Amino acid sequence: MRRIRLTVAYDGTDYCGWQVQNNGATIEGELNTALTQLTGQKVKVIGASRTDAGVHARGNVAVFDTESSIPPERFLYAVNALLPEDIVVVNSCEVAADWHPRHCNTEKTYEYRVLNQKFPDPMRRRDTYFVSFPLDLEKMRKAAGYLEGEHDFKSFCNVHTHVENTVRTIYRLEVIREENVITFRVRGNGFLYNMVRILAGTLIGVGRGLIDPEEIPAMLEAKDRQAAGMTVPPQGLTLVKIDYLDGGMES
């Protein structure tokens, strides 16, 4: 029995998230089906990040166990032939039998993209959140600076988050504008449920002038979801990569 590690990219628009559910198609479900068909044995992948419905990824990570004789580096070619076109395995390799994608020291990088112009662009509706109001880039960058570092992000997670410790570290939160697209690029040691979408919503509030950058420390201190900005829709969010610090592997 071997454990194979996959790096997976996908457009999450038409899926009910990563994790298998009863109410619709999921990324995990499609991988399980394709790998079961490929190997001839029932496969259940273990994912590193259980992205929500509508969220995309360029570098999510999953593992599965198999007795198949297919060379590890060839799995991506074989399984991609069986996957729908909006899910692509971009790398495959063998890892230790006890290696688990969620039980490692990692850094994750997400991007949230905002289309900031007068009218929507139908070609960008699946991967950006449309905002017609002018956004002040410098104010958003100033606010982002307050969010970097180790903080209790209880104000910046969904009220249904079930974790005891809501302290996380953001190593870098960049606000980048390229033509009419503003990207919030955030790298941290872990993220709470809806945390990146709430961070983005708060920064948009700052950009619109609804929130002063200097209010951010008080939001953090409040530890109250109502203190922070809105939760923006999922389509602007992409899991860019996962860096595995212990094993030296990068998605």
Side-chain angles (χ1 to χ4, degrees):
M1 187 73 72
R2 297 178 299 158
R3 176 157 289 193
I4 305 299
R5 176 185 187 267
L6 306 176
T7 302
V8 189
Y10 47 87
D11 175 346
T13 304
D14 297 327
Y15 296 93
C16 299
W18 172 272
Q19 194 168 12
V20 168
Q21 301 177 29
N22 295 324
N23 62 342
T26 65
I27 308 299
E28 183 182 49
E30 295 293 338
L31 286 169
N32 288 346
T33 298
L35 287 165
T36 296
Q37 182 179 346
L38 177 65
T39 63
Q41 60 188 103
K42 188 165 183 63
V43 171
K44 180 171 175 55
V45 300
I46 303 170
S49 183
R50 296 169 180 168
T51 51
D52 292 336
V55 175
H56 318 297
R58 293 187 183 278
N60 205 347
V61 173
V63 296
F64 69 97
D65 297 323
T66 182
E67 295 176 348
S68 171
S69 60
I70 297 173
E73 68 278 6
R74 302 298 299 177
F75 265 103
L76 75 162
Y77 300 104
V79 74
N80 280 337
L82 301 172
L83 286 168
E85 62 183 2
D86 49 8
I87 304 175
V88 177
V89 175
V90 297
N91 189 47
S92 60
C93 63
E94 186 171 354
V95 292
D98 61 350
W99 192 85
H100 194 293
R102 293 198 299 272
H103 299 163
C104 299
N105 185 19
T106 65
E107 291 180 4
K108 293 182 180 180
T109 301
Y110 284 90
E111 289 182 351
Y112 193 92
R113 293 184 179 86
V114 176
L115 180 65
N116 186 214
Q117 58 187 29
K118 187 174 292 186
F119 299 106
D121 180 349
M123 305 302 292
R124 298 303 304 268
R125 74 191 187 281
R126 294 169 71 97
D127 71 335
T128 60
Y129 171 51
F130 170 64
V131 176
S132 61
F133 300 96
L135 296 175
D136 189 316
L137 206 65
E138 293 311 311
K139 284 186 176 180
M140 291 191 293
R141 285 172 175 161
K142 186 174 182 180
Y146 288 114
L147 292 162
E148 291 180 339
E150 183 180 86
H151 303 287
D152 188 330
F153 284 98
K154 189 171 183 179
S155 295
F156 293 84
C157 67
N158 188 290
V159 292
H160 299 296
T161 301
H162 299 297
V163 294
E164 294 182 6
N165 183 11
T166 50
V167 174
R168 298 291 186 274
T169 300
I170 291 180
Y171 301 113
R172 181 79 168 165
L173 177 48
E174 299 173 273
V175 182
I176 305 161
R177 181 163 196 137
E178 296 177 325
E179 297 183 344
N180 292 329
V181 176
I182 295 173
T183 301
F184 305 120
R185 184 179 176 91
V186 56
R187 180 172 58 90
N189 66 352
F191 295 91
L192 302 163
Y193 183 35
N194 285 167
M195 179 174 160
V196 178
R197 289 165 59 188
I198 297 168
L199 290 170
T202 302
L203 291 176
I204 290 170
V206 171
R208 289 184 59 185
L210 305 176
I211 300 169
D212 290 328
E214 291 77 11
E215 293 180 51
I216 299 297
M219 290 182 182
L220 291 164
E221 186 63 29
K223 301 179 181 63
D224 180 354
R225 173 65 191 93
Q226 294 184 348
M230 64 177 175
T231 305
V232 286
Q235 72 269 16
L237 184 61
T238 300
L239 171 59
V240 176
K241 65 175 181 175
I242 304 173
D243 293 315
Y244 286 90
L245 306 182
D246 296 332
M249 290 187 292
E250 181 177 301
S251 65

